[in-house]
Amino acid sequence: MDAETILADITKMLAEVIGEDYLLEVDVTMDTAFSGDLELESIEFVALAGLMKEHYGTAVDFVGFLADMDLHQIIALRVGQVVDHIQLCLSVVPSRG
């Protein structure tokens, strides 16, 4: 799956989490910061994680991705980092043995 498609998916999910009206004021790009630009709070990260799990299934572990970060990394997290993570997770093909 390409980055543009994933970015569009994330933008739709963000609209569900924080509201379409709020997103009218923010252009969601790969450089958009979750904390600084979107002002996402922890409960909204949880809601976003739930939507990602519904959309991508267990292949994308957003909670695990966040768990490997310290607080400063989470505060600085950008949409592009999440898009890259999703792209990487979806590109991993389970081996059949």
Side-chain angles (χ1 to χ4, degrees):
M1 185 175 293
D2 66 54
E4 287 182 26
T5 301
I6 296 169
L7 179 61
D9 291 343
I10 296 298
T11 302
K12 288 177 190 172
M13 291 177 212
L14 285 167
E16 286 186 51
V17 171
I18 61 176
E20 289 183 23
D21 291 342
Y22 186 84
L23 283 185
L24 292 175
E25 300 174 18
V26 179
D27 184 29
V28 178
T29 68
M30 298 290 271
D31 290 326
T32 302
F34 285 99
S35 182
D37 298 320
L38 299 173
E39 300 176 358
L40 240 65
E41 298 190 10
S42 57
I43 191 71
E44 292 165 327
F45 269 114
V46 172
L48 183 60
L51 291 174
M52 283 186 199
K53 186 170 184 177
E54 284 177 27
H55 187 79
Y56 298 111
T58 58
V60 176
D61 182 9
F62 185 59
V63 174
F65 176 66
L66 292 176
D68 287 339
M69 296 182 178
D70 64 32
L71 182 59
H72 293 90
Q73 290 172 310
I74 293 171
I75 291 171
L77 187 64
R78 300 202 174 275
V79 171
Q81 291 172 271
V82 174
V83 170
D84 291 344
H85 172 70
I86 292 169
Q87 204 169 19
L88 178 65
C89 290
L90 296 178
S91 71
V92 175
V93 179
S95 62
R96 297 181 183 205

